[in-house]
Amino acid sequence: MTSGTTRPTAPPAPMRALHTGSGEPLLLLHGFMMSPHCWEQVAQRMASHCEVFAPAFTGHWGGPDFEGWYLDVSALADRVEDQLDEMGWRTCHIAGNSLGGWVGFELARRGRARTLTAIAPAGGWQTPSAIQFRVGLKFLSLVPLVEIGKHLPDYIAYSGLVRQAVALLLTKNTSAASRAGLEAAITSAMHCKAMLPMLVSGLRFPALENLATLRTPVRLLMCENDRIIPNRTFARRFLEELPESADRILVHDVGHVPMLEAPDRIATLIAEHVYASRTRLRAV
């Protein structure tokens, strides 16, 4: 029997990239302070008909290092493009969550996306703006907690209380998120070297270009119980600017990182969009 003061397993290991399956090329992009681990359950479900590649962003846990104190979406996209070139993927299907959705729009603008599934995407604000400032403050408030967490013993840092707090932030149905997924989210946050540089330089990020001119087929997935970037404020620009042909879907009863609590639903929604692009049929 394991005592209450020790952990039965070691903390999760860093992952440079998750690469599995065969078929249509599918790029999965994680959110700010997260890692490829958040895509593991979705990747397992997609691997039978897609070659799935989920890299760690620059400055994030498992990803390449960077120099200086400025890191923006364009730089993250540059590195992902290099990886796509290394794999021989001129274009691919892309699904991105939060910051990953923002990078996905940038890659689509560069002509690298066959389709884009944007899951609770960040970046739906003007620069500078009050909305952008509010997002920065929300993440800035996490900095002290992350710094304290780095110095705690594992049995506290990964305790049930901490896992529950993280689950409440990232999901709606906290019991549906696996222990492994939550522990990876905790570890990702504590090892995110890009956290302060991206927050400090965030006000200088250029805003997303006019989304109405985007030619890539887009499926926008808004999360009903998003506590990080609530839909009422942060989805407005996507809803108003995306072309009429874009799918706009409200995913009920999920939080900001729905892959952790509803991998079946998210995999299905991505797969529908990929299939519709191949068959020229609209998924409903």
Side-chain angles (χ1 to χ4, degrees), residues 219 247 249 268-269 272-273 275-276 281-284:
R219 169 165 277 195
D247 292 331
I249 298 172
T268 298
L269 287 164
E272 284 176 349
H273 195 39
Y275 176 79
L281 294 173
R282 183 174 176 83
V284 294

Side-chain angles (χ1 to χ4, degrees), residues 161-171 174 181-182 185-186 260:
L161 186 63
V162 174
R163 293 198 309 274
Q164 179 68 10
V166 171
L168 282 170
L169 186 66
L170 302 181
T171 69
T174 58
L182 293 173
I186 294 168
L260 295 179

Side-chain angles (χ1 to χ4, degrees), residues 4-268:
T5 58
T6 59
R7 296 185 72 250
T9 58
M15 183 186 297
R16 177 181 177 274
L18 189 165
H19 192 187
T20 186
S22 61
E24 292 275 328
L26 173 63
L27 174 69
L28 302 178
L29 301 174
H30 64 78
F32 183 46
M33 298 170 62
M34 298 292 287
S35 70
H37 294 78
C38 69
W39 287 111
E40 285 185 294
Q41 294 187 72
V42 169
Q44 290 171 7
R45 289 158 172 79
M46 300 295 295
S48 61
H49 49 275
C50 288
E51 181 180 355
V52 180
F53 180 64
F57 279 140
T58 298
H60 289 67
W61 185 45
D65 286 331
F66 67 101
E67 296 181 358
W69 271 85
Y70 186 82
L71 185 64
D72 63 10
V73 169
S74 181
L76 298 182
D78 288 345
R79 174 55 186 156
V80 174
E81 271 205 290
D82 289 342
Q83 291 173 297
L84 296 182
D85 291 341
E86 291 167 6
M87 297 175 65
W89 287 10
R90 178 65 192 89
T91 61
C92 60
H93 301 280
I94 300 175
N97 173 231
S98 194
L99 174 63
W102 191 351
V103 175
F105 277 107
E106 174 65 21
L107 292 170
R109 185 76 63 185
R110 299 180 186 190
R112 304 304 296 254
R114 300 181 190 181
T115 63
L116 172 62
T117 303
I119 306 167
W125 47 73
Q126 300 297 334
T127 302
S129 67
I131 293 176
Q132 180 191 30
F133 188 66
R134 282 167 56 189
V135 174
L137 284 179
K138 187 173 291 188
F139 279 103
L140 198 60
S141 69
L142 298 177
V143 172
L145 299 177
V146 170
E147 290 302 315
I148 290 171
K150 292 178 182 179
H151 302 286
L152 294 175
D154 284 354
Y155 73 88
I156 296 178
Y158 298 96
S159 65
L161 186 63
V162 174
R163 293 198 309 274
Q164 179 68 10
V166 171
L168 282 170
L169 186 66
L170 302 181
T171 69
K172 167 63 166 60
N173 301 293
T174 58
S175 61
S178 70
R179 175 171 180 158
L182 293 173
E183 292 190 352
I186 294 168
T187 311
S188 300
M190 292 193 296
H191 291 82
C192 182
K193 296 180 181 179
M195 184 178 186
L196 279 175
M198 290 198 76
L199 290 174
V200 169
S201 55
L203 290 176
R204 296 167 55 195
F205 289 3
L208 279 166
E209 294 183 35
N210 188 349
L211 297 168
T213 63
L214 197 65
R215 302 183 68 176
T216 303
V218 175
R219 169 165 277 195
L220 174 67
L221 303 183
M222 301 168 292
C223 300
E224 183 182 30
N225 302 101
D226 194 328
R227 297 185 179 96
I228 303 293
I229 47 175
N231 296 309
R232 181 169 297 183
T233 302
F234 298 101
R236 185 175 304 161
R237 188 174 167 210
F238 296 106
L239 291 171
E240 294 175 353
E241 287 187 20
L242 282 171
E244 194 64 32
S245 60
D247 292 331
R248 295 161 169 84
I249 298 172
L250 180 64
V251 186
H252 291 290
D253 207 33
V254 296
H256 185 64
V257 188
M259 306 88 73
L260 295 179
E261 59 182 318
D264 284 327
R265 291 167 67 192
I266 298 305
T268 298

